[in-house]
Amino acid sequence: SSKAKTSLSTKKMNPKDAKRANQKLVERYGGDIGKGTQERIQKSLESLEPHLREAAELHKAITQFDALVALMTPSDRNRLIPPAQSQMAEDDRKKLKSIMEEHNLSDRELHNVYQRLTWDAAADAKATQADIVGNKMKSDLQERITKACTIAVETTESEGAKGKVLDVGCGHGAIVRSLVDAGLTEPDMYVGIDLAGEMVKNAVDRYGSARSGRTGKGRLFVADDFYTY
């Protein structure tokens, strides 16, 4: 293509800057990123309305139990999972169903509540860790992302094309650089949407300032549910 590309830096931080960034990140999470993330999740849970908090905690317990037994054969499950644990999971399902019916809470709404507080808690860590490695992913994943971004950008340039590139589940803007490298030079051709407000905040901090020379507008990042926005 004869169109000039506007690249964003994808260089890894030098060791000194990377160490400093990681130290600051660990401090923000109270000395341990894993533990700090769980503490952030718990704090967010405690701030919810009582019925939402209980529903989210039940959802978490049920999801963990289902993940534990998902790959087990029936005989393995009978051998490894105490009957009391299975009964507790069943009781949790009934209690969760009752709460959801009482408060007219849909499966998607409950899913969104837990996803928001989980990804909000991890947002700063995910974004900073991506900064440290130059926002490059593992080679096989990066290869697929590069291919997808190229297809998306070429589609916007095709004859009669209208609209912009919509990045659903944009997180901290993980594929913005790949889209720019693929030729999406005008910032206002990008819209990112994510449930987690803290993820979107990190995306805006990193990629929200650029403006289109054509319209003066920049990338749009939205904290919302893609299905209802």
Side-chain angles (χ1 to χ4, degrees):
S1 172
S2 61
K3 184 172 69 174
K5 293 187 178 183
T6 305
S7 295
L8 296 171
S9 173
T10 54
K11 291 182 179 179
K12 292 182 180 180
M13 287 187 187
N14 64 55
K16 184 177 180 180
D17 288 343
K19 183 178 180 180
R20 186 183 300 113
N22 191 63
Q23 286 175 338
K24 288 182 178 179
L25 177 63
V26 171
E27 288 172 5
R28 292 175 70 183
Y29 278 80
D32 184 295
I33 293 174
K35 184 178 178 182
T37 299
Q38 291 305 312
E39 289 173 350
R40 288 184 176 199
I41 291 173
Q42 188 58 40
K43 185 176 180 180
S44 294
L45 276 171
E46 291 170 358
S47 71
L48 295 174
E49 296 177 59
H51 74 279
L52 282 177
R53 180 170 68 247
E54 186 174 13
E57 289 172 341
L58 288 168
H59 175 74
K60 178 182 178 181
I62 292 165
T63 300
Q64 290 175 338
F65 178 80
D66 288 347
L68 175 66
V69 303
L71 299 179
M72 292 184 181
T73 64
S75 60
D76 284 343
R77 180 168 174 172
N78 290 334
R79 179 169 55 87
L80 298 172
I81 304 298
Q85 187 176 359
S86 293
Q87 185 60 52
M88 186 180 299
E90 187 60 31
D91 290 344
D92 285 346
R93 290 184 205 280
K94 292 177 181 178
K95 192 170 186 179
L96 178 59
K97 182 179 179 181
S98 175
I99 292 171
M100 292 176 69
E101 289 177 349
E102 180 182 353
H103 295 277
N104 196 28
L105 188 64
S106 70
D107 287 335
R108 192 180 77 244
E109 288 169 332
L110 176 59
H111 171 269
N112 287 356
V113 167
Y114 196 71
Q115 287 294 308
R116 280 193 186 98
L117 61 88
T118 299
W119 286 108
D120 276 344
D124 291 338
K126 296 290 186 184
T128 301
Q129 288 163 347
D131 291 341
I132 288 172
V133 299
N135 215 52
K136 284 290 185 181
M137 304 177 197
K138 291 182 178 179
S139 57
D140 57 336
L141 178 57
Q142 184 63 55
E143 184 178 338
R144 295 202 301 273
I145 288 172
T146 298
K147 182 177 180 180
C149 288
T150 299
I151 292 171
V153 173
E154 287 176 350
T155 300
T156 68
E157 297 172 342
S158 61
E159 186 176 352
K162 295 181 180 180
K164 305 179 181 183
V165 172
L166 176 61
D167 182 5
V168 178
C170 65
H172 52 80
I175 70 167
V176 169
R177 299 186 191 202
S178 295
L179 283 166
V180 172
D181 288 343
L184 197 70
T185 57
E186 296 293 351
D188 64 343
M189 286 294 291
Y190 173 95
V191 178
I193 187 167
D194 198 284
L195 279 171
E198 289 300 312
M199 280 290 190
V200 168
K201 181 177 179 296
N202 274 281
V204 171
D205 287 345
R206 286 159 176 76
Y207 306 112
S209 62
R211 292 291 179 269
S212 167
R214 175 171 46 84
T215 66
K217 297 180 180 180
R219 298 183 183 95
L220 176 62
F221 293 97
V222 180
D224 210 330
D225 180 357
F226 165 70
Y227 289 105
T228 58
Y229 175 69

